[in-house]
Amino acid sequence: MAKSTMWAAVVTEYGKPLQIREMAVPEPGPGELLIKLETCGVCHSDLDVRNGSTAPANPKFPLVLGHEGVGRVVKRGVGCSLIEEGMRVGLPWMHDTCGQCRECLTGYESFCTRHRGHGFSVDGGFAEFAIVKELYTAVIPDELTSVEAAPLLCAGVTAYGGLLKAELAPGKVCVIFGCGGLGQYAIQLAKASGATVIAVEANEQKLTLARRLGADHALPANAETGARIRALGGADACLNFAPSNKVWPAILEAVNARAWIISVAQVPEPVQLNLEWLLYTGARITGTSVGSRQELRDLLRLAVDLKLKLNIETVSLRQADEALDRLARGQVEGRLVIDFTKH
Ligand SMILES: [Zn+2]
Ligand SMILES: [Zn+2]
């Protein structure tokens, strides 16, 4: 007989530790798939949701966190026709979007103001079972293990989505600020574009890792950073993965004319912007958030072809809350991934 209950790590109230609860296994509705999770990555946004610093207009409690899940389809709702039972699929950030707005219809669906997020406005992947929509999931290539694939579903596609906006090519210089999980993916993907890659990071171990992942230059984050980038030819694209506004002066000093400045990390503190400087440099400032479904599919393929690497440490579902605390303290080198075979 199929299991009727499951263990899940849930938010019961913002600002409180996650609770491990036994809950009913959800039933897939029309167009939905029930998946049995094998892994789920732990993202910095999960921490923001637990703390309540990021919240939907109408929060639901208890809420199962998690938006980097990988699992096998165990049941299909009516109307599913593309994905078979037994296939391994992803539970990404986007549960669904409105499918009707300009953003949805022109390739920018991650900016749909009516999109629903897993582990945010609907239940996510910190549970033994979860629901994904057939049209919003992605099949995981056989070459990737479920542990390797999990962080691609948010960290990976976010890094990739940001780089796609940076117009990288051979001869261009791309600076990656912050070399945690997303930055580590970004270094490898930027390198594959043929650009020269400069990594900037305060933590010495992460700088060593950045070099190993292919960064042409790895610079410590300090008052000299901007000048050192200028000495290397200046930046044609700066992507900020560091959760701090302290990198802003270095970015302003580093950029070449018409450079891209792309905000990826969630930084709530403001920065100063001189409009005359903007006029004379023609710098282009934008932000990025996850990626479209097609970008996710492309990234999963690229992860296989480029053999994308990430420093991953696995934990059990029961360690989910502790994993968030470690993220809050900055004690994670790459990515933590919940492995559901661990107890
Ligand atoms: Zn995330
Ligand atoms: Zn929309």
Side-chain angles (χ1 to χ4, degrees):
M1 217 183 84
K3 237 178 138 216
S4 63
T5 63
M6 64 177 189
W7 290 104
V10 300
V11 180
T12 53
E13 192 183 330
Y14 291 138
K16 292 276 159 65
L18 295 186
Q19 283 189 20
I20 305 294
R21 278 208 184 168
E22 199 165 15
M23 298 171 74
V25 173
E27 206 35 52
E32 294 180 343
L33 305 167
L34 177 68
I35 64 169
K36 184 174 191 305
L37 276 297
E38 294 183 355
T39 57
C40 189
V42 182
C43 179
H44 210 276
S45 331
D46 295 317
L47 176 63
D48 296 332
V49 175
R50 185 192 70 173
N51 294 347
S53 51
T54 305
N58 300 303
K60 88 173 261 307
F61 297 110
L63 171 75
V64 179
L65 271 190
H67 55 268
E68 288 188 346
V70 174
R72 285 200 189 270
V73 177
V74 290
K75 195 171 179 183
R76 306 195 307 167
V78 293
C80 291
S81 58
L82 303 164
I83 293 177
E84 306 288 334
E85 253 181 54
M87 285 171 81
R88 201 168 50 130
V89 299
L91 175 148
W93 168 258
M94 276 194 302
H95 176 70
D96 60 8
T97 65
C98 83
Q100 306 290 332
C101 70
R102 184 183 296 270
E103 275 58 52
C104 280
L105 295 174
T106 53
Y108 300 96
E109 61 191 4
S110 64
F111 291 101
C112 171
T113 55
R114 284 186 281 165
H115 85 271
R116 294 191 290 173
H118 285 126
F120 182 65
S121 40
V122 299
D123 283 335
F126 285 10
E128 292 176 281
F129 294 88
I131 298 285
V132 294
K133 288 205 168 176
E134 185 183 44
L135 294 180
Y136 285 84
T137 187
V139 175
I140 306 296
D142 290 339
E143 294 91 332
L144 301 173
T145 67
S146 296
V147 170
E148 285 169 333
L152 294 167
L153 290 152
C154 174
V157 75
T158 301
Y160 183 55
L163 287 166
L164 287 177
K165 296 177 173 72
E167 299 182 342
L168 297 183
K172 297 273 184 89
V173 177
C174 173
V175 185
I176 305 295
F177 288 87
C179 301
L182 280 81
Q184 291 170 29
Y185 280 135
I187 289 167
Q188 299 166 74
L189 290 163
K191 199 61 205 153
S193 74
T196 297
V197 177
I198 303 176
V200 176
E201 165 64 52
N203 175 311
E204 189 52 48
Q205 277 165 306
K206 286 184 188 169
L207 267 188
T208 307
L209 192 57
R211 274 187 211 101
R212 225 185 303 141
L213 292 172
D216 298 285
H217 307 276
L219 308 179
N222 58 34
E224 315 298 316
T225 307
R228 291 189 65 183
I229 296 168
R230 288 238 58 78
L232 292 166
D236 301 305
C238 286
L239 286 96
N240 183 42
F241 296 95
S244 163
N245 64 353
K246 291 202 190 101
V247 298
W248 186 247
I251 291 175
L252 293 185
E253 192 177 351
V255 291
N256 291 330
R258 301 186 67 251
W260 278 107
I261 298 174
I262 300 168
S263 182
V264 193
Q266 282 182 279
V267 181
E269 299 81 24
V271 294
Q272 282 211 323
L273 181 64
N274 180 315
L275 295 179
E276 191 181 34
W277 172 88
L278 190 60
L279 179 158
Y280 282 116
T281 57
R284 293 165 288 177
I285 304 174
T286 190
T288 193
S289 169
V290 288
S292 67
R293 285 173 274 177
Q294 186 59 46
E295 285 165 2
L296 177 58
R297 288 182 196 174
D298 292 345
L299 173 71
L300 289 167
R301 203 57 245 163
L302 270 175
V304 174
D305 294 346
L306 298 175
K307 298 187 167 53
L308 284 188
K309 288 182 219 34
L310 185 67
N311 200 343
I312 295 174
E313 184 189 335
T314 58
V315 297
S316 71
L317 178 67
R318 292 187 181 278
Q319 293 171 307
D321 194 65
E322 192 187 317
L324 294 177
D325 288 338
R326 282 180 60 192
L327 269 183
R329 293 193 296 265
Q331 292 170 334
V332 182
E333 291 245 326
R335 206 73 166 170
L336 295 174
V337 170
I338 295 171
D339 177 347
F340 286 85
T341 62
K342 272 193 161 182
H343 292 286

